[in-house]
Amino acid sequence: MNVTWLYVPGDRPERFDKAAASGADVVIIDLEDAVVPARKDEARANAVAYLRARRDAEGQARVHVRVNDLATGRGLADLEAVGELADAVRLPKVESAAVLDAVSGAPAYALLESAAGIVAAREIAAHPKVAGVALGEQDLAAELAITDERAMDHLRLQVVLAAAAAGLPPVPMAVYPNVKDEAGLLASCLAGRGLGMFGRTAIHPRQIPVIRRAFRPSAEEAARAAEIVEAAERAERAGLGAVALPDGRFVDAPIVARARRTVALASRLAEPEG
């Protein structure tokens, strides 16, 4: 599973390779909010040129493109230009499942940034062309005049449920706008993790290590997961359907599957030695 996504403005092509080398799992070339209207055509051309020139390589960051609103001609032109080149497209301001019928080519990630988008979250998440959903929290908070984090948590949980019900990957967290507040970013990530969200988009490379640390299983979580996996493997070798832990407790298949994911994630996000 992806843990970190890094936005890079489409009109700053000199930053594309730097973003790809930042350690982010996914680079998002942004043609929408990060680009002023006068430079949007240039940004689209930059994205197309980069996507055509890049070569697939082991461990290379995947590249998504956030297009403009599909309710506009510019958004549809963006989609036509990059839909067959990007690893995925990110669609802003999705408010109904019907708009997704226009998508072809790369998998689509629907960004829910309005009250209408939240209300339609289940139908949007269930659309066959949707590979994932995410929240556009700043736009959403502005529309609803939200000032209490508890209200935002309620909306986050609705989207977490919609994604899970549709069999989609866990919902990543929205950007944390203060790039210098690493303590605040860490605390926010841990709170989101507690709601069932996983991973986060970033607007600066310095945020990536903090996000990775927040979503890395603790030593205790990793040890507990390894114990469950070991017990499951013992049961499998013995031809037993039930998995018993050393303390006598039994665990079922979903718990074992989660433990396997935790072990794999702990290994992947382990801090380098030395």
PDB file of all heavy atoms in Angstrom, residues 150-164:
ATOM      1  N   ARG A 150     -13.725  17.676  15.542  1.00  0.00           N
ATOM      2  CA  ARG A 150     -14.642  16.548  15.732  1.00  0.00           C
ATOM      3  C   ARG A 150     -15.625  16.438  14.566  1.00  0.00           C
ATOM      4  O   ARG A 150     -15.989  15.330  14.164  1.00  0.00           O
ATOM      5  CB  ARG A 150     -15.400  16.703  17.051  1.00  0.00           C
ATOM      6  CG  ARG A 150     -14.522  16.529  18.300  1.00  0.00           C
ATOM      7  CD  ARG A 150     -15.291  16.870  19.541  1.00  0.00           C
ATOM      8  NE  ARG A 150     -15.711  18.270  19.547  1.00  0.00           N
ATOM      9  CZ  ARG A 150     -16.434  18.827  20.518  1.00  0.00           C
ATOM     10  NH1 ARG A 150     -16.820  18.095  21.558  1.00  0.00           N
ATOM     11  NH2 ARG A 150     -16.765  20.115  20.457  1.00  0.00           N
ATOM     12  N   ALA A 151     -16.041  17.565  14.036  1.00  0.00           N
ATOM     13  CA  ALA A 151     -16.943  17.543  12.879  1.00  0.00           C
ATOM     14  C   ALA A 151     -16.230  16.976  11.657  1.00  0.00           C
ATOM     15  O   ALA A 151     -16.808  16.185  10.897  1.00  0.00           O
ATOM     16  CB  ALA A 151     -17.453  18.957  12.595  1.00  0.00           C
ATOM     17  N   MET A 152     -14.968  17.349  11.484  1.00  0.00           N
ATOM     18  CA  MET A 152     -14.202  16.816  10.354  1.00  0.00           C
ATOM     19  C   MET A 152     -13.978  15.317  10.511  1.00  0.00           C
ATOM     20  O   MET A 152     -14.036  14.565   9.528  1.00  0.00           O
ATOM     21  CB  MET A 152     -12.865  17.551  10.230  1.00  0.00           C
ATOM     22  CG  MET A 152     -12.103  17.221   8.960  1.00  0.00           C
ATOM     23  SD  MET A 152     -13.019  17.601   7.438  1.00  0.00           S
ATOM     24  CE  MET A 152     -12.926  19.396   7.459  1.00  0.00           C
ATOM     25  N   ASP A 153     -13.760  14.859  11.738  1.00  0.00           N
ATOM     26  CA  ASP A 153     -13.593  13.420  11.971  1.00  0.00           C
ATOM     27  C   ASP A 153     -14.849  12.658  11.558  1.00  0.00           C
ATOM     28  O   ASP A 153     -14.772  11.542  11.022  1.00  0.00           O
ATOM     29  CB  ASP A 153     -13.291  13.142  13.445  1.00  0.00           C
ATOM     30  CG  ASP A 153     -11.848  13.426  13.814  1.00  0.00           C
ATOM     31  OD1 ASP A 153     -11.026  13.632  12.896  1.00  0.00           O
ATOM     32  OD2 ASP A 153     -11.540  13.448  15.021  1.00  0.00           O
ATOM     33  N   HIS A 154     -16.003  13.241  11.799  1.00  0.00           N
ATOM     34  CA  HIS A 154     -17.265  12.600  11.398  1.00  0.00           C
ATOM     35  C   HIS A 154     -17.303  12.417   9.880  1.00  0.00           C
ATOM     36  O   HIS A 154     -17.696  11.353   9.372  1.00  0.00           O
ATOM     37  CB  HIS A 154     -18.440  13.453  11.858  1.00  0.00           C
ATOM     38  CG  HIS A 154     -19.768  12.948  11.400  1.00  0.00           C
ATOM     39  ND1 HIS A 154     -20.336  11.779  11.873  1.00  0.00           N
ATOM     40  CD2 HIS A 154     -20.647  13.435  10.486  1.00  0.00           C
ATOM     41  CE1 HIS A 154     -21.498  11.584  11.286  1.00  0.00           C
ATOM     42  NE2 HIS A 154     -21.719  12.565  10.438  1.00  0.00           N
ATOM     43  N   LEU A 155     -16.883  13.427   9.141  1.00  0.00           N
ATOM     44  CA  LEU A 155     -16.873  13.342   7.685  1.00  0.00           C
ATOM     45  C   LEU A 155     -15.820  12.339   7.215  1.00  0.00           C
ATOM     46  O   LEU A 155     -16.054  11.580   6.263  1.00  0.00           O
ATOM     47  CB  LEU A 155     -16.594  14.716   7.086  1.00  0.00           C
ATOM     48  CG  LEU A 155     -17.616  15.811   7.440  1.00  0.00           C
ATOM     49  CD1 LEU A 155     -17.188  17.140   6.842  1.00  0.00           C
ATOM     50  CD2 LEU A 155     -19.011  15.429   6.966  1.00  0.00           C
ATOM     51  N   ARG A 156     -14.665  12.346   7.847  1.00  0.00           N
ATOM     52  CA  ARG A 156     -13.612  11.386   7.488  1.00  0.00           C
ATOM     53  C   ARG A 156     -14.110   9.956   7.640  1.00  0.00           C
ATOM     54  O   ARG A 156     -13.865   9.097   6.785  1.00  0.00           O
ATOM     55  CB  ARG A 156     -12.379  11.616   8.370  1.00  0.00           C
ATOM     56  CG  ARG A 156     -11.637  12.916   8.091  1.00  0.00           C
ATOM     57  CD  ARG A 156     -10.631  13.222   9.179  1.00  0.00           C
ATOM     58  NE  ARG A 156      -9.917  14.456   8.932  1.00  0.00           N
ATOM     59  CZ  ARG A 156      -9.487  15.295   9.874  1.00  0.00           C
ATOM     60  NH1 ARG A 156      -9.700  15.007  11.163  1.00  0.00           N
ATOM     61  NH2 ARG A 156      -8.849  16.401   9.557  1.00  0.00           N
ATOM     62  N   LEU A 157     -14.812   9.679   8.750  1.00  0.00           N
ATOM     63  CA  LEU A 157     -15.304   8.323   8.981  1.00  0.00           C
ATOM     64  C   LEU A 157     -16.315   7.906   7.919  1.00  0.00           C
ATOM     65  O   LEU A 157     -16.349   6.731   7.520  1.00  0.00           O
ATOM     66  CB  LEU A 157     -15.935   8.232  10.376  1.00  0.00           C
ATOM     67  CG  LEU A 157     -14.953   8.038  11.532  1.00  0.00           C
ATOM     68  CD1 LEU A 157     -15.666   8.182  12.873  1.00  0.00           C
ATOM     69  CD2 LEU A 157     -14.273   6.670  11.444  1.00  0.00           C
ATOM     70  N   GLN A 158     -17.128   8.834   7.462  1.00  0.00           N
ATOM     71  CA  GLN A 158     -18.076   8.494   6.400  1.00  0.00           C
ATOM     72  C   GLN A 158     -17.344   8.018   5.142  1.00  0.00           C
ATOM     73  O   GLN A 158     -17.763   7.055   4.486  1.00  0.00           O
ATOM     74  CB  GLN A 158     -18.943   9.711   6.066  1.00  0.00           C
ATOM     75  CG  GLN A 158     -19.948  10.075   7.146  1.00  0.00           C
ATOM     76  CD  GLN A 158     -20.907  11.143   6.666  1.00  0.00           C
ATOM     77  OE1 GLN A 158     -21.559  10.987   5.637  1.00  0.00           O
ATOM     78  NE2 GLN A 158     -20.999  12.239   7.395  1.00  0.00           N
ATOM     79  N   VAL A 159     -16.243   8.686   4.813  1.00  0.00           N
ATOM     80  CA  VAL A 159     -15.498   8.319   3.610  1.00  0.00           C
ATOM     81  C   VAL A 159     -14.724   7.019   3.839  1.00  0.00           C
ATOM     82  O   VAL A 159     -14.613   6.181   2.938  1.00  0.00           O
ATOM     83  CB  VAL A 159     -14.566   9.467   3.187  1.00  0.00           C
ATOM     84  CG1 VAL A 159     -13.763   9.091   1.950  1.00  0.00           C
ATOM     85  CG2 VAL A 159     -15.389  10.723   2.902  1.00  0.00           C
ATOM     86  N   VAL A 160     -14.193   6.831   5.040  1.00  0.00           N
ATOM     87  CA  VAL A 160     -13.523   5.568   5.379  1.00  0.00           C
ATOM     88  C   VAL A 160     -14.490   4.394   5.206  1.00  0.00           C
ATOM     89  O   VAL A 160     -14.141   3.355   4.627  1.00  0.00           O
ATOM     90  CB  VAL A 160     -12.972   5.622   6.827  1.00  0.00           C
ATOM     91  CG1 VAL A 160     -12.568   4.230   7.313  1.00  0.00           C
ATOM     92  CG2 VAL A 160     -11.779   6.569   6.908  1.00  0.00           C
ATOM     93  N   LEU A 161     -15.711   4.559   5.690  1.00  0.00           N
ATOM     94  CA  LEU A 161     -16.718   3.502   5.557  1.00  0.00           C
ATOM     95  C   LEU A 161     -17.080   3.255   4.096  1.00  0.00           C
ATOM     96  O   LEU A 161     -17.225   2.105   3.660  1.00  0.00           O
ATOM     97  CB  LEU A 161     -17.970   3.877   6.351  1.00  0.00           C
ATOM     98  CG  LEU A 161     -17.875   3.733   7.874  1.00  0.00           C
ATOM     99  CD1 LEU A 161     -19.086   4.395   8.546  1.00  0.00           C
ATOM    100  CD2 LEU A 161     -17.794   2.269   8.274  1.00  0.00           C
ATOM    101  N   ALA A 162     -17.242   4.331   3.328  1.00  0.00           N
ATOM    102  CA  ALA A 162     -17.604   4.187   1.915  1.00  0.00           C
ATOM    103  C   ALA A 162     -16.525   3.436   1.156  1.00  0.00           C
ATOM    104  O   ALA A 162     -16.825   2.557   0.331  1.00  0.00           O
ATOM    105  CB  ALA A 162     -17.830   5.565   1.295  1.00  0.00           C
ATOM    106  N   ALA A 163     -15.269   3.765   1.412  1.00  0.00           N
ATOM    107  CA  ALA A 163     -14.168   3.087   0.729  1.00  0.00           C
ATOM    108  C   ALA A 163     -14.106   1.614   1.107  1.00  0.00           C
ATOM    109  O   ALA A 163     -13.946   0.739   0.249  1.00  0.00           O
ATOM    110  CB  ALA A 163     -12.847   3.775   1.056  1.00  0.00           C
ATOM    111  N   ALA A 164     -14.242   1.326   2.395  1.00  0.00           N
ATOM    112  CA  ALA A 164     -14.179  -0.065   2.846  1.00  0.00           C
ATOM    113  C   ALA A 164     -15.333  -0.880   2.270  1.00  0.00           C
ATOM    114  O   ALA A 164     -15.153  -2.023   1.844  1.00  0.00           O
ATOM    115  CB  ALA A 164     -14.199  -0.112   4.373  1.00  0.00           C
TER     116      ALA A 164
END
